[in-house]
Amino acid sequence: MRLPDTRRDAGLSLLGLVDRVGFDAVGAGWGYRDESQSWRFYLFTEMTDTKGPLWVWTRLLKAFSKLNLPAGVTPLDVVIASPDEWLYRTQMVKAEKDPPLYTFITETSDLARSDYGIDRLWLLRANPEMVFVGKDKKKSARRFDMKVRQLMAA
């Protein structure tokens, strides 16, 4: 099964939106469940480790209320997770050049047996080199919070 172009485009568009508000996703991609034929868009960020998932999700929902999400995508389709989770850390990633973008795609049978509730995962971003250290982690969260506040005030 290939990632449909409409999902790829929606995912890249959503990734662009969260980048604009300083979300700093080190990874992102679509998860698919065969049984229910449902899609979830995963955003992997260290802010879940430093600030907690509720803190991140609250601000992301505020940003979504002001941004035009891609067609067919709702906030309930978005899942935030830590880049330290198994789902992100252990996936084999194959880069396929798609000028001017690099699309990262992975599929593994282990996903179906995991607790994530998905059978396939296609990563549109996999940048472990973006992982922040020390003070940079706090700066990342402050920048995200500030940009969301600016968006809400606009």
Side-chain angles (χ1 to χ4, degrees), residues 71-134:
V73 177
T74 71
L76 294 177
D77 297 327
V78 179
V79 177
I80 57 167
S82 167
D84 287 334
E85 289 189 35
W86 173 88
L87 182 63
Y88 183 73
R89 283 187 296 114
T90 61
Q91 298 305 302
M92 296 298 293
V93 178
K94 176 185 171 190
E96 294 184 3
K97 192 169 183 181
D98 184 19
L101 303 166
Y102 286 88
T103 302
F104 296 87
I105 302 172
T106 183
E107 290 186 52
T108 181
S109 60
D110 289 340
L111 285 178
R113 292 189 298 267
S114 73
D115 293 331
Y116 291 96
I118 58 174
D119 299 299
R120 293 178 182 81
L121 176 68
W122 292 269
L123 292 174
L124 300 174
R125 176 182 289 167
N127 293 331
E129 68 275 6
M130 285 179 60
V131 174
F132 298 107
V133 294

Side-chain angles (χ1 to χ4, degrees), residues 37-57:
Q37 296 184 349
S38 60
W39 293 90
R40 294 288 177 259
F41 191 74
Y42 286 82
L43 289 168
F44 298 94
T45 177
E46 289 184 306
M47 289 185 289
T48 58
D49 300 326
T50 58
K51 290 294 196 174
L54 182 59
W55 185 92
V56 177
W57 186 244

